[in-house]
Amino acid sequence: MARQERAIRTRKAILEAAGAVFDEHGYASTTIAMVLERAEVTKGALYFHFPSKESLAQAVLDEQLPFGTVPPHPCKLQEIIDITFVFGQRLVGNSLLQGSVRLTVDQCAPPGVDHTGPYRQWAELLVALMQQAREQGELLPTVVLRDTVELLVGAFAGVQQMSRALSGREDLGHRISVLWSHILPSIAVPGLLLGLDSKPDRGTRILADIELSGY
Amino acid sequence: MARQERAIRTRKAILEAAGAVFDEHGYASTTIAMVLERAEVTKGALYFHFPSKESLAQAVLDEQLPFGTVPPHPCKLQEIIDITFVFGQRLVGNSLLQGSVRLTVDQCAPPGVDHTGPYRQWAELLVALMQQAREQGELLPTVVLRDTVELLVGAFAGVQQMSRALSGREDLGHRISVLWSHILPSIAVPGLLLGLDSKPDRGTRILADIELSGY
């Protein structure tokens, strides 16, 4: 294995271990030693990639957005819906993502770590997609893009947390579907409503398609 | 001061101190000593009321629902709207409530503390009010009470957290107003929509009325 490839693998193993430990224990109670033990890498390798707990937390936070990647869809509102379901579905099984989300929503912001980053990055990404949706005539004229987007981001954060607390995220697909069924009539033009797919298993189906197509 | 009254005051001082400390440091990093120092009560008094950190956290959680108390309203949907605004407004300035909410949404559930209690208690309370709203003909026939209520509880939890992270809860009234403007058209009968008040300053106005009337 080439040196660079090995370094990438080691970094990935550390981030996955860190995500799992942050998810289980939260930022304050996590120690580098706990991550080391979980990642099964040397202390030197860990400090080579991440010189501090802060930098480890920041890296885990920075990994969050790519988990919302979905195939582009001609209808941009459907693409936004898809992002929420795919992100939710990935959240169920991925400990790096779980740790990243916990660091975002947990309120103790350690000095040197910007835990509000994902809120703002999600908002930027979704405002851009909403802008495209607007240009394509998908949105009601009453929609204020930033208000709608920040509501989606905040509500999603809370819904996934409640799902985690009450069912270990088993009912997350259903809860995301309920979120959309309440919000879509206020933002989508009526002609679009029936054609949008926000059924609870939307995430599972998209992920299956992605695997088949190798997207 | 009678002994019982003094005990009630001491208990209140301890809970307020505990709420502030839990809010600042989270459950795991909070110690009884930190609460003692903040509450300015004797160790004996604290242990008399709360034999452990768990029992202190449980009591802080149990104090949450009364902060949603509002004057009854003939329109039950308006009463539910009022609860969210008043709760949000109280959340801005009350450290006991801030600590209680943090314990609810923080994901590390310490053994012996049921941090999911408020989620379920809010849902029960709001389902009962929604049931009355339904009987009074305020709701669209498509509304599934429990789905709508659990969405409200989860979305509110997330929206207040995002508001805290991005603006120190300064924009919470606006965010609650945006939440309602997106959800009401999906749940209220059209004839009711224009008469419902979900403006950002709704909480401030109700609290001012409560103070004037001594409710």
Side-chain angles (χ1 to χ4, degrees):
Chain A
M1 190 164 28
R3 184 181 292 183
Q4 202 189 346
E5 192 187 332
R6 201 164 52 219
I8 290 171
R9 280 202 195 187
T10 303
R11 189 175 185 279
K12 192 162 169 274
I14 296 169
L15 283 178
E16 282 173 0
V21 177
F22 282 132
D23 180 54
E24 279 169 37
H25 302 278
Y27 182 80
S29 305
T30 291
T31 64
I32 296 271
M34 288 155 85
V35 177
L36 264 179
E37 201 190 331
R38 177 89 56 128
E40 296 184 342
V41 300
T42 65
K43 207 167 177 171
L46 192 145
Y47 280 103
F48 171 76
H49 289 282
F50 305 104
S52 65
K53 190 169 94 168
E54 286 81 3
S55 65
L56 205 46
Q58 192 61 60
V60 167
L61 283 164
D62 293 343
E63 294 282 321
Q64 188 176 133
L65 254 72
F67 283 100
T69 308
V70 298
H73 196 284
C75 170
K76 290 302 147 183
L77 210 41
Q78 183 66 58
E79 193 170 319
I80 293 172
I81 294 170
D82 290 352
I83 288 173
T84 62
F85 278 104
V86 163
F87 187 82
Q89 187 64 27
R90 286 180 172 139
L91 188 52
V92 173
N94 188 295
S95 57
L96 168 54
L97 182 52
Q98 287 164 359
S100 182
V101 166
R102 174 161 188 186
L103 288 176
T104 308
V105 295
D106 262 14
Q107 106 180 20
C108 226
V113 180
D114 177 18
H115 80 126
T116 67
Y119 281 128
R120 286 183 286 100
Q121 292 153 15
W122 278 116
E124 292 316 312
L125 178 81
L126 296 182
V127 161
L129 282 168
M130 277 283 189
Q131 186 57 46
Q132 289 181 263
R134 165 145 284 165
E135 283 156 16
Q136 295 184 176
E138 300 172 16
L139 302 184
L140 293 171
T142 44
V143 172
V144 178
L145 295 191
R146 183 152 290 273
D147 278 353
T148 296
V149 159
E150 295 210 356
L151 170 64
L152 280 173
V153 174
F156 184 94
V159 160
Q160 68 79 25
Q161 233 169 335
M162 186 166 168
S163 169
R164 187 193 183 284
L166 296 186
S167 79
R169 293 207 180 92
E170 237 180 66
D171 59 12
L172 185 51
H174 172 71
R175 287 182 191 269
I176 298 173
S177 178
V178 169
L179 172 64
W180 282 115
S181 72
H182 281 75
I183 286 180
L184 282 174
S186 302
I187 64 174
V189 292
L192 204 64
L193 274 181
L194 276 178
L196 293 170
D197 180 357
S198 58
K199 293 195 190 74
D201 66 340
R202 177 77 186 166
T204 325
R205 281 183 282 122
I206 298 173
L207 285 179
D209 284 353
I210 291 178
E211 260 181 50
L212 276 177
S213 68
Y215 172 80
Chain B
M1 190 163 31
R3 183 180 292 185
Q4 203 189 344
E5 193 187 332
R6 200 162 54 219
I8 290 171
R9 281 201 195 188
T10 304
R11 189 175 185 279
K12 191 161 170 275
I14 297 168
L15 284 178
E16 281 171 1
V21 178
F22 282 132
D23 180 54
E24 279 169 39
H25 302 276
Y27 182 81
S29 305
T30 291
T31 64
I32 295 269
M34 289 155 84
V35 177
L36 265 178
E37 200 190 333
R38 176 89 57 128
E40 296 182 343
V41 300
T42 64
K43 206 167 177 172
L46 192 144
Y47 280 104
F48 170 75
H49 289 284
F50 305 103
S52 64
K53 189 168 95 167
E54 285 82 2
S55 65
L56 205 46
Q58 191 62 59
V60 167
L61 283 164
D62 293 343
E63 293 283 320
Q64 187 175 135
L65 255 72
F67 284 99
T69 307
V70 298
H73 196 285
C75 170
K76 290 302 148 184
L77 210 41
Q78 184 65 58
E79 192 171 321
I80 293 172
I81 294 170
D82 290 352
I83 289 174
T84 62
F85 278 103
V86 163
F87 188 81
Q89 189 61 28
R90 288 180 171 139
L91 188 53
V92 172
N94 187 296
S95 58
L96 168 55
L97 183 52
Q98 288 165 359
S100 183
V101 166
R102 174 160 188 189
L103 288 177
T104 307
V105 296
D106 263 15
Q107 104 181 18
C108 227
V113 181
D114 177 17
H115 80 126
T116 66
Y119 282 127
R120 285 181 285 100
Q121 292 153 14
W122 279 116
E124 292 316 313
L125 177 81
L126 296 182
V127 161
L129 282 168
M130 278 282 189
Q131 185 58 43
Q132 289 180 264
R134 164 144 287 164
E135 283 157 16
Q136 295 185 176
E138 300 172 17
L139 302 183
L140 293 171
T142 44
V143 172
V144 178
L145 294 190
R146 182 151 289 274
D147 278 354
T148 296
V149 160
E150 296 209 356
L151 169 64
L152 280 172
V153 174
F156 184 94
V159 161
Q160 69 79 23
Q161 233 168 336
M162 187 166 168
S163 169
R164 188 194 182 283
L166 296 186
S167 79
R169 293 208 180 94
E170 238 180 64
D171 60 11
L172 184 52
H174 172 71
R175 287 181 191 268
I176 298 174
S177 178
V178 169
L179 173 63
W180 282 115
S181 72
H182 281 75
I183 286 182
L184 282 175
S186 303
I187 64 174
V189 292
L192 204 63
L193 275 182
L194 277 177
L196 293 170
D197 180 357
S198 58
K199 294 194 189 73
D201 65 343
R202 176 78 187 165
T204 326
R205 282 184 280 121
I206 297 174
L207 284 180
D209 285 352
I210 290 178
E211 260 180 52
L212 276 177
S213 69
Y215 172 79

